Amino acid sequence: MNELLLDLSAAEFGDSTGDLFDGHIPLARPWLGEEEAEAARRVILSGWVSQGPMTAEFEQALAKTIGAAHAVATNAATSALHLALLVSGVRPGDEVICPATTCMATANAICHAGAEPVFADVDPDTFNLDPASAEDQISGRTRAILLVHQIGLPADLATFESLAGRRGLVLVEDAATALGAKYAGRFLGAHGRPTCFSFHPRKIITTGEGGMLVTGSAEQAERARSLRSTGASISDFDRHNAKGVLQQIYHEVGFNYRLTDIQAAIGLVQLGRLGQMLAERRAQAEHYHLLLADVDEVQIPHVPPEAEPCWSSYCIKLRSAAAAHRDELLVQLASRGISCRRGIGPLYAEPFFRSHEPDLYLPGSEEVGRSTLFLPIFPGLTVEQQESVAAALKESLVGVR
Ligand SMILES: *Cc1c(COP(=O)(O)O)cnc(C)c1O
């Protein structure tokens, strides 16, 4: 069944040159054009293509846009999360609490740091980490909470801030999908703690692959810069500029987590469009709310008052009777030319974690994994296409009843 579903909705991304009305609406589609191509071309012809001046400019521009003190670009959010955990003091043998329903990359980063992911349950309405369940999972070995802002919706930061403060834990934010989302009126990443963003094409802005760690701490940023690049005390570009007079030294074992200047140049163009992309996504989400308001089987996304999502995804929840037919519904939608995706299931059900956690069962995460469905949302998706999605969904719901 899984493979069949993958096959039918294989076109996750639209062909960026093709006509989307070609009988098919993709789930997501990056917005890239001549400006990005031109920016990449300029870097290629400049003679400096690895991490250098464009990367520094991209870091400064992103920090300024969201109101963060320091930004460190990386080759992916996974590596940004790894660095965020290391500079926060996570050590081998520590436990790090994270939501059970999240991207595998969240748990991978914890494992890369030598720590053990401990899964806590999510709120079945927001899909974000449930503070009470997170607190239940705290043990003598817990060092940190890795708080995920799931699919563009800010989690309950204030509650986790006080929980972490009260229990002496570090709080790190996984905002991979949530660039441009706000909590209590401020952008995620502006609250001072290490926060990570992704620039994979499924996220808000893209550089092909890429990530960014932002933090309010100059010390953390400096260590992350060194760890990102072999553990060296200075960057390749600074050494180049000093014409060989400056020599790097190594205080610890580092990685190669560098972004290239080609990617950074693309990221700068994308960042310039962030406001427009967010506005489009918000309008699309509001239109889906209207289109689906009268569909009894569908629960539209719940947004708590202090959260302003960036709508990186539009995830609906099917009410009990319809949820039983969720996978069949996906097949029906695919046959009508609409690529949707099942929501995120609990990570502890994956074979790797099952062997460590054979008995774990978290009801909120099970419910989310069973009953959720992503609808297409991306800059460029038209009102007519959204109406086709809603119509196909309604027909398919009748079809599976
Ligand atoms: C996509 C994603 C990541 C990983 O991002 P990469 O840039 O692909 O490494 C991590 N966490 C969450 C919640 C994500 O959605």
Side-chain angles (χ1 to χ4, degrees):
M1 187 62 174
N2 290 355
E3 274 146 25
L4 173 68
L5 282 176
L6 280 176
D7 232 1
L8 279 169
S9 51
E12 184 150 332
F13 298 115
D15 169 0
S16 58
T17 55
D19 180 357
L20 288 181
F21 278 113
D22 235 19
H24 169 80
I25 300 175
L27 180 66
R29 184 194 191 195
W31 181 9
L32 290 162
E34 287 299 332
E35 260 189 280
E36 283 86 351
E38 183 49 37
R41 178 186 154 84
R42 276 197 304 271
V43 173
I44 290 164
L45 297 178
S46 77
W48 190 277
V49 293
S50 61
Q51 178 194 293
M54 291 308 278
T55 304
E57 207 180 306
F58 182 37
E59 291 171 340
Q60 283 151 22
L62 188 127
K64 188 162 172 240
T65 301
I66 63 171
H70 308 278
V72 181
T74 56
N75 59 355
T78 307
S79 36
L81 285 166
H82 182 193
L83 296 182
L85 293 168
L86 294 180
V87 303
S88 300
V90 171
R91 299 268 173 279
D94 288 346
E95 291 179 353
V96 177
I97 293 169
C98 71
T101 62
T102 178
C103 179
M104 184 66 184
T106 307
N108 285 347
I110 296 170
C111 296
H112 294 330
E116 192 185 314
V118 173
F119 299 117
D121 208 1
V122 297
D123 175 324
D125 290 320
T126 63
F127 318 145
N128 272 323
L129 189 59
D130 171 18
S133 175
E135 183 154 20
D136 272 352
Q137 298 285 23
I138 296 174
S139 79
R141 289 206 289 138
T142 308
R143 172 86 59 183
I145 297 174
L146 181 45
L147 184 61
V148 181
H149 302 289
Q150 205 74 265
I151 54 175
L153 177 70
D156 186 358
L157 261 183
T159 301
F160 282 100
E161 233 161 33
S162 80
L163 172 62
R166 192 155 44 78
R167 303 295 299 260
L169 303 177
V170 162
L171 189 60
V172 174
E173 297 174 52
D174 179 347
T177 63
L179 181 65
K182 287 182 177 173
Y183 179 83
R186 282 155 75 209
F187 282 115
L188 294 181
H191 299 264
R193 280 171 306 276
T195 303
C196 301
F197 300 102
S198 170
F199 309 131
H200 181 274
R202 273 292 301 276
K203 315 297 161 103
I204 294 288
I205 68 169
T206 188
T207 58
E209 298 280 359
M212 191 82 77
L213 160 62
V214 301
T215 169
S217 154
E219 209 176 304
Q220 286 182 338
E222 192 188 353
R223 182 155 174 241
R225 280 181 211 291
S226 164
L227 284 171
R228 156 181 75 173
S229 192
T230 63
S233 57
I234 59 163
S235 73
D236 295 346
F237 192 67
D238 288 342
R239 192 185 55 223
H240 167 80
N241 275 346
K243 312 233 171 330
V245 178
L246 265 177
Q247 197 55 46
Q248 73 276 27
I249 53 169
Y250 300 95
H251 294 289
E252 59 185 325
V253 173
F255 310 94
N256 177 359
Y257 283 171
R258 296 181 295 259
L259 190 77
T260 69
D261 264 23
I262 304 171
Q263 294 169 302
I266 295 169
L268 274 164
V269 176
Q270 291 266 298
L271 196 57
R273 294 206 189 114
L274 178 63
Q276 200 184 338
M277 295 201 220
L278 293 172
E280 267 204 51
R281 285 178 178 276
R282 192 178 321 120
Q284 289 162 354
E286 281 163 11
H287 196 53
Y288 272 139
H289 297 342
L290 287 178
L291 288 168
L292 302 175
D294 64 344
V295 186
D296 290 341
E297 297 94 329
V298 170
Q299 184 180 317
I300 63 170
H302 173 70
V303 180
E306 66 285 1
E308 207 177 298
C310 61
W311 299 108
S312 54
S313 294
Y314 191 89
C315 189
I316 59 169
K317 202 162 111 182
L318 298 168
R319 296 193 206 279
S320 44
H325 305 291
R326 193 265 319 263
D327 291 354
E328 205 184 323
L329 199 59
L330 279 167
V331 176
Q332 293 245 356
L333 284 161
S335 73
R336 290 178 164 85
I338 317 284
S339 278
C340 296
R341 270 280 185 286
R342 60 166 85 188
I344 315 156
L347 282 181
Y348 57 75
E350 296 300 332
F352 176 77
F353 292 114
R354 238 331 149 217
S355 56
H356 297 232
E357 290 272 14
D359 302 320
L360 191 60
Y361 181 94
L362 300 169
S365 303
E366 295 286 336
E367 182 182 329
V368 171
R370 198 168 50 228
S371 60
T372 56
L373 181 61
F374 291 119
L375 302 186
I377 190 166
F378 51 88
L381 179 72
T382 65
V383 165
E384 294 74 25
Q385 288 175 317
Q386 287 195 269
E387 282 160 6
S388 309
V389 172
L393 181 61
K394 289 177 199 177
E395 284 166 29
S396 304
L397 280 165
V398 173
V400 299
R401 214 174 267 153

